[in-house]
Short mmCIF file of all heavy atoms in Angstrom, two decimals:
data_model
loop_
_atom_site.label_atom_id
_atom_site.label_comp_id
_atom_site.label_asym_id
_atom_site.label_seq_id
_atom_site.Cartn_x
_atom_site.Cartn_y
_atom_site.Cartn_z
N VAL N 13 160.58 -22.79 156.94
CA VAL N 13 159.28 -22.28 157.40
C VAL N 13 158.35 -22.11 156.20
O VAL N 13 157.17 -22.51 156.25
CB VAL N 13 159.45 -20.92 158.14
CG1 VAL N 13 158.09 -20.31 158.46
CG2 VAL N 13 160.24 -21.11 159.43
N ALA N 14 158.89 -21.57 155.11
CA ALA N 14 158.06 -21.27 153.94
C ALA N 14 157.49 -22.55 153.32
O ALA N 14 156.36 -22.55 152.82
CB ALA N 14 158.88 -20.50 152.91
N GLU N 15 158.28 -23.63 153.33
CA GLU N 15 157.82 -24.84 152.63
C GLU N 15 157.09 -25.83 153.55
O GLU N 15 156.65 -26.87 153.08
CB GLU N 15 159.01 -25.52 151.93
CG GLU N 15 160.05 -26.09 152.87
CD GLU N 15 161.35 -26.46 152.19
OE1 GLU N 15 161.62 -25.97 151.08
OE2 GLU N 15 162.10 -27.26 152.78
N THR N 16 156.96 -25.47 154.84
CA THR N 16 156.30 -26.39 155.77
C THR N 16 154.82 -26.04 155.95
O THR N 16 154.51 -24.92 156.35
CB THR N 16 157.00 -26.35 157.15
OG1 THR N 16 158.37 -26.68 156.98
CG2 THR N 16 156.36 -27.34 158.11
N PRO N 17 153.92 -26.98 155.68
CA PRO N 17 152.50 -26.70 155.91
C PRO N 17 152.21 -26.46 157.39
O PRO N 17 152.88 -27.05 158.25
CB PRO N 17 151.78 -27.97 155.44
CG PRO N 17 152.81 -28.84 154.82
CD PRO N 17 154.16 -28.33 155.17
N LEU N 18 151.22 -25.63 157.67
CA LEU N 18 150.88 -25.30 159.06
C LEU N 18 150.42 -26.52 159.84
O LEU N 18 150.47 -26.55 161.07
CB LEU N 18 149.77 -24.24 159.10
CG LEU N 18 150.09 -22.88 158.51
CD1 LEU N 18 148.89 -21.97 158.57
CD2 LEU N 18 151.28 -22.25 159.22
N THR N 19 149.97 -27.53 159.13
CA THR N 19 149.42 -28.72 159.78
C THR N 19 150.45 -29.81 160.00
O THR N 19 150.12 -30.89 160.51
CB THR N 19 148.30 -29.32 158.91
OG1 THR N 19 148.84 -29.54 157.60
CG2 THR N 19 147.11 -28.38 158.81
N ARG N 20 151.72 -29.58 159.64
CA ARG N 20 152.73 -30.64 159.66
C ARG N 20 152.92 -31.25 161.05
O ARG N 20 153.28 -30.56 161.99
CB ARG N 20 154.05 -30.04 159.15
CG ARG N 20 155.32 -30.87 159.34
CD ARG N 20 155.37 -32.16 158.58
NE ARG N 20 154.96 -32.07 157.19
CZ ARG N 20 155.73 -31.66 156.18
NH1 ARG N 20 156.96 -31.30 156.39
NH2 ARG N 20 155.28 -31.63 154.95
N SER N 21 152.66 -32.54 161.17
CA SER N 21 152.99 -33.28 162.39
C SER N 21 153.75 -34.52 161.95
O SER N 21 153.86 -34.81 160.77
CB SER N 21 151.72 -33.67 163.17
OG SER N 21 151.28 -34.96 162.83
N VAL N 22 154.27 -35.26 162.91
CA VAL N 22 155.06 -36.44 162.55
C VAL N 22 154.18 -37.46 161.82
O VAL N 22 154.65 -38.23 160.99
CB VAL N 22 155.74 -37.04 163.81
CG1 VAL N 22 154.73 -37.77 164.69
CG2 VAL N 22 156.87 -37.96 163.45
N LEU N 23 152.88 -37.43 162.10
CA LEU N 23 151.99 -38.45 161.55
C LEU N 23 151.77 -38.32 160.04
O LEU N 23 151.37 -39.29 159.40
CB LEU N 23 150.64 -38.42 162.28
CG LEU N 23 150.71 -38.75 163.78
CD1 LEU N 23 149.37 -38.55 164.43
CD2 LEU N 23 151.21 -40.18 163.98
N ASP N 24 152.03 -37.15 159.47
CA ASP N 24 151.88 -37.05 158.01
C ASP N 24 153.21 -37.33 157.30
O ASP N 24 153.33 -37.11 156.09
CB ASP N 24 151.24 -35.73 157.57
CG ASP N 24 151.99 -34.51 158.04
OD1 ASP N 24 153.21 -34.62 158.27
OD2 ASP N 24 151.36 -33.45 158.19
N GLN N 25 154.19 -37.83 158.05
CA GLN N 25 155.47 -38.23 157.46
C GLN N 25 155.52 -39.77 157.48
O GLN N 25 156.08 -40.35 158.40
CB GLN N 25 156.63 -37.65 158.27
CG GLN N 25 156.62 -36.15 158.40
CD GLN N 25 156.85 -35.49 157.06
OE1 GLN N 25 157.93 -35.56 156.48
NE2 GLN N 25 155.81 -34.88 156.52
N GLU N 26 154.91 -40.39 156.50
CA GLU N 26 154.83 -41.85 156.49
C GLU N 26 156.24 -42.44 156.28
O GLU N 26 156.92 -42.06 155.33
CB GLU N 26 153.87 -42.31 155.40
CG GLU N 26 153.46 -43.76 155.51
CD GLU N 26 152.94 -44.15 156.90
OE1 GLU N 26 152.24 -43.36 157.54
OE2 GLU N 26 153.29 -45.26 157.36
N PRO N 27 156.67 -43.34 157.16
CA PRO N 27 158.04 -43.85 157.07
C PRO N 27 158.40 -44.42 155.69
O PRO N 27 159.51 -44.17 155.19
CB PRO N 27 158.08 -44.94 158.15
CG PRO N 27 157.10 -44.46 159.17
CD PRO N 27 155.99 -43.81 158.40
N SER N 28 157.48 -45.16 155.07
CA SER N 28 157.82 -45.74 153.76
C SER N 28 158.05 -44.64 152.72
O SER N 28 158.93 -44.76 151.85
CB SER N 28 156.71 -46.68 153.31
OG SER N 28 155.47 -46.02 153.31
N ALA N 29 157.28 -43.55 152.81
CA ALA N 29 157.46 -42.43 151.87
C ALA N 29 158.79 -41.72 152.12
O ALA N 29 159.48 -41.30 151.18
CB ALA N 29 156.30 -41.46 152.00
N LEU N 30 159.18 -41.61 153.39
CA LEU N 30 160.47 -40.99 153.72
C LEU N 30 161.61 -41.83 153.16
O LEU N 30 162.56 -41.30 152.58
CB LEU N 30 160.62 -40.84 155.24
CG LEU N 30 159.65 -39.89 155.94
CD1 LEU N 30 159.83 -39.96 157.45
CD2 LEU N 30 159.85 -38.46 155.44
N ALA N 31 161.50 -43.14 153.33
CA ALA N 31 162.55 -44.03 152.82
C ALA N 31 162.65 -43.92 151.29
O ALA N 31 163.76 -43.93 150.74
CB ALA N 31 162.26 -45.47 153.23
N ALA N 32 161.51 -43.75 150.63
CA ALA N 32 161.51 -43.61 149.17
C ALA N 32 162.21 -42.33 148.73
O ALA N 32 162.68 -42.23 147.59
CB ALA N 32 160.08 -43.64 148.65
N CYS N 33 162.29 -41.34 149.63
CA CYS N 33 162.98 -40.08 149.33
C CYS N 33 164.46 -40.12 149.73
O CYS N 33 165.13 -39.09 149.74
CB CYS N 33 162.30 -38.92 150.05
SG CYS N 33 160.64 -38.59 149.49
N GLY N 34 164.95 -41.27 150.15
CA GLY N 34 166.37 -41.40 150.46
C GLY N 34 166.72 -41.28 151.93
O GLY N 34 167.90 -41.32 152.30
N VAL N 35 165.71 -41.13 152.79
CA VAL N 35 165.99 -41.08 154.24
C VAL N 35 166.35 -42.49 154.70
O VAL N 35 165.67 -43.47 154.36
CB VAL N 35 164.75 -40.56 155.02
CG1 VAL N 35 164.96 -40.70 156.52
CG2 VAL N 35 164.46 -39.11 154.64
N GLN N 36 167.46 -42.61 155.43
CA GLN N 36 167.91 -43.93 155.91
C GLN N 36 167.80 -44.08 157.42
O GLN N 36 167.88 -45.19 157.95
CB GLN N 36 169.36 -44.18 155.49
CG GLN N 36 169.55 -44.28 153.99
CD GLN N 36 171.00 -44.60 153.64
OE1 GLN N 36 171.54 -45.62 154.05
NE2 GLN N 36 171.63 -43.70 152.92
#
Side-chain angles (χ1 to χ4, degrees):
V13 173
E15 67 193 20
T16 303
L18 296 178
T19 54
R20 168 65 46 81
S21 94
V22 74
L23 296 174
D24 57 25
Q25 303 293 292
E26 194 51 38
S28 55
L30 295 174
C33 295
V35 172
Q36 295 183 59

